[in-house]
Amino acid sequence: MKFRKTVRTALRGLVPLVGLVLLTGPLVGQTSEPLRIEITEGVIEPLPFAVARFVTTDAGAGDIAADIAQVIASDLEGSGLFREIPRNAHIATVTNINSPVIYKDWKAINAEILITGSLELVGDGDIRISFRLHDVFSNKDLGQGVRFTSRPDVWRRVAHQVADIVYERTTGEKGYFDTQIAFVAESGEKTSRTKRLAVMDHDGANLRYIPTRSNLVLAPRWSPNNRHILFTSLEDGRPSANRIDIGTGEVDRLWSSDTIMSFSPRFSPQGDGILLSLIERGNTDIYAIDLRTGATRRLTSSPAIDTAPSASPDGRQIVFESDRSGSQQLYIMPADGGTPPQRISFGAGRYGTPVWSPRGDYIAFTKQWRGNFHIGVMRTDGTEERLLSRSYLDEGPAWSPNGRVLIFFREPRGANAGPSLFTVDLTGRNLRQLRTPEFASDPSWSRLRQ
């Protein structure tokens, strides 16, 4: 990783829970070029940062202020790009976030980034969180201060949004902390497990189960607006693609037929269409459904098994897996299916579950090779293949909304073993397990919440 200065807008695309404003006061108006972290190699030295104790003036606000500061620090450290300097190493105390920072006190403990904040109770039980970000190395603020007003029961979201701002101002890229993970929660004996749809925050907090009328669901996929989830149900013993409104709980079956099986659904980038696979008379092909008109279009027509479609961010192309060459490989075709697909995977082994990066630059996949499973990425033309993981069974990659981190599930050998969720960054470093109370598989990462 290299560090460099770059001119960028200090504050972009911030979304408040109740309200967000730029702070006024002595420090507003001091601008600087945000310090950008550019990831160029697989081994980096994390950026040391400090979170000063948040200033509080209301009785009973100290605990929640400490919790918010802890979640901010955990988010940043979890990215692998930052390293927190423990509070017991601090030699300075912040009593007013509008007062000038004594930078030498923070340089003395080798902090390069400083986060200061305050919390107060306002209105009818709301909380107001204010924070500032400082570049200790350059003795400057990184952008203006920001203030959130929120209900106290969603304080974790405030913490995630603060961490997203810090991440963006420091790296120059959008963060991914104020997001959710949909996944399949598995329980029971391995041969007869219950598989339920579940949703949680990106760090595993606020877990809840989504009723779907079925205890056997597979492969949930978020809609671009985070309001719906697609999944495959085995409720009647046959795969069927479904869509659920997570606000109302209403479930729609996307394809109703006693002779056709549907599975592997995924939304188009704009959310106005769905790609999925249908099995009819023993043949598996890819179809597109226009949610505005209800029209259905067949995109592939071959005796091979064509499945797992994923559209490019601009909606112009589709990557999918097929065994039309004799083994499971990856192919790209136009979104209308008008020209023959082009194969892009040519390495040894079998390739599956392709997913186009939100940035449009990479395609993630699962690879089976030499008795192991790998999560990997390649350029959209098949070049620069890079394997990020290896184990007995690694499957189901999904991208963070900024296209820099992948989540997948891993299952070890053993009669009583079960799957767990892991994340890894695009360079193949910072492999981390995401703890869940039950076995977990088939993760899908939401976009940043609105």
Side-chain angles (χ1 to χ4, degrees):
M1 181 177 68
K2 298 177 182 178
F3 297 89
R4 71 179 186 184
K5 292 286 186 177
T6 184
V7 178
R8 286 182 177 265
T9 303
L11 189 62
R12 297 175 295 174
L14 304 181
V15 180
L17 299 177
V18 175
L20 175 153
V21 297
L22 296 179
L23 294 183
T24 59
L27 300 184
V28 171
Q30 294 184 17
T31 59
S32 65
E33 298 174 355
L35 179 65
R36 182 181 180 186
I37 302 175
E38 182 182 3
I39 304 172
T40 59
E41 300 173 357
V43 179
I44 69 169
E45 181 65 29
L47 186 70
F49 73 98
V51 182
R53 185 183 300 275
F54 275 31
V55 178
T56 58
T57 58
D58 298 287
D63 288 344
I64 190 170
D67 289 339
I68 290 174
Q70 179 57 51
V71 170
I72 294 169
S74 295
D75 282 351
L76 295 173
E77 278 209 312
S79 73
L81 300 180
F82 301 85
R83 174 179 59 82
E84 184 188 15
I85 297 174
R87 185 166 295 169
N88 59 14
H90 297 186
I91 62 175
T93 301
V94 175
T95 58
N96 186 335
I97 68 167
N98 289 319
S99 298
V101 172
I102 310 301
Y103 285 105
K104 64 179 181 63
D105 290 342
W106 300 99
K107 288 181 180 178
I109 61 172
N110 297 318
E112 295 191 32
I113 295 294
L114 170 66
I115 302 167
T116 61
S118 67
L119 185 146
E120 58 185 322
L121 305 180
V122 296
D124 297 326
D126 286 344
I127 57 175
R128 179 176 294 159
I129 298 97
S130 306
F131 90 97
R132 296 181 185 278
L133 181 62
H134 312 273
D135 183 345
V136 176
F137 182 80
S138 299
N139 296 348
K140 295 180 180 179
D141 285 3
L142 285 178
Q144 295 176 309
V146 177
R147 174 179 292 151
F148 290 90
T149 301
S150 169
R151 302 188 314 273
D153 60 319
V154 289
W155 65 266
R156 292 188 69 91
R157 280 205 62 195
V158 175
H160 294 319
Q161 288 190 325
V162 171
D164 280 330
I165 296 171
V166 174
Y167 185 98
E168 180 175 359
R169 291 188 182 180
T170 307
T171 68
E173 298 182 347
K174 291 289 186 181
Y176 58 90
F177 306 121
D178 187 24
T179 56
Q180 294 180 291
I181 304 295
F183 66 99
V184 175
E186 303 188 18
S187 60
E189 297 296 326
K190 191 168 188 176
T191 56
S192 57
R193 280 195 182 137
T194 295
K195 298 186 176 183
R196 297 183 291 169
L197 178 60
V199 172
M200 63 185 178
D201 292 352
H202 94 283
D203 58 358
N206 295 322
L207 172 68
R208 70 185 192 278
Y209 299 98
I210 310 297
T212 59
R213 300 198 306 263
S214 173
N215 285 328
L216 285 174
V217 302
L218 302 170
R221 300 290 181 258
W222 283 102
S223 66
N225 63 10
N226 294 341
R227 297 176 184 172
H228 296 86
I229 294 176
L230 299 174
F231 64 94
T232 300
S233 171
L234 299 176
E235 181 181 7
D236 56 5
R238 295 163 54 87
S240 63
N242 293 260
R243 176 180 59 175
I244 185 169
D245 185 316
I246 60 174
T248 66
E250 181 179 358
V251 178
D252 298 318
R253 180 169 288 191
L254 300 177
W255 197 279
S256 297
S257 173
D258 293 333
T259 60
I260 298 176
M261 292 180 283
S262 58
F263 62 101
S264 193
R266 191 182 294 273
F267 280 101
S268 66
Q270 291 73 36
D272 55 2
I274 292 173
L275 299 170
L276 77 168
S277 296
L278 300 180
I279 303 178
E280 184 177 15
R281 298 186 180 93
N283 202 58
T284 304
D285 282 297
I286 296 172
Y287 287 71
I289 300 176
D290 189 322
L291 293 177
R292 298 163 298 185
T293 65
T296 301
R297 186 173 72 255
R298 185 174 180 174
L299 301 181
T300 64
S301 180
S302 101
I305 298 175
D306 298 335
T307 187
S310 174
S312 60
D314 61 10
R316 296 180 179 180
Q317 295 179 292
I318 295 170
V319 63
F320 65 99
E321 65 177 74
S322 175
D323 63 355
R324 61 182 61 201
S325 65
S327 65
Q328 191 178 11
Q329 301 294 331
L330 304 185
Y331 292 80
I332 285 181
M333 65 179 175
D336 60 5
T339 59
Q342 300 297 312
R343 180 174 167 179
I344 62 170
S345 59
F346 291 95
R350 293 184 292 172
Y351 296 76
T353 66
V355 190
W356 218 301
S357 164
R359 300 167 63 95
D361 51 354
Y362 284 98
I363 291 171
F365 56 85
T366 300
K367 180 174 182 174
Q368 188 176 5
W369 181 46
R370 291 183 176 177
N372 289 298
F373 280 77
H374 307 261
I375 301 300
V377 294
M378 65 173 65
R379 293 290 185 180
T380 58
D381 60 359
T383 61
E384 298 183 27
E385 178 179 325
R386 182 166 66 249
L387 300 181
L388 310 180
S389 77
R390 182 182 68 180
S391 82
Y392 169 69
L393 181 61
D394 283 356
E395 281 196 296
W399 291 95
S400 65
N402 68 354
R404 286 308 182 202
V405 183
L406 285 160
I407 188 170
F408 62 97
F409 71 94
R410 168 174 290 181
E411 186 165 353
R413 297 177 185 270
N416 297 317
S420 302
L421 303 183
F422 284 79
T423 60
V424 65
D425 72 20
L426 190 56
T427 67
R429 61 176 298 277
N430 197 36
L431 179 68
R432 290 174 176 259
Q433 183 175 359
L434 186 55
R435 301 291 180 179
T436 54
E438 300 175 289
F439 294 136
S441 62
D442 285 345
S444 177
W445 213 318
S446 78
R447 294 190 179 182
L448 284 170
R449 290 190 277 185
Q450 303 297 313

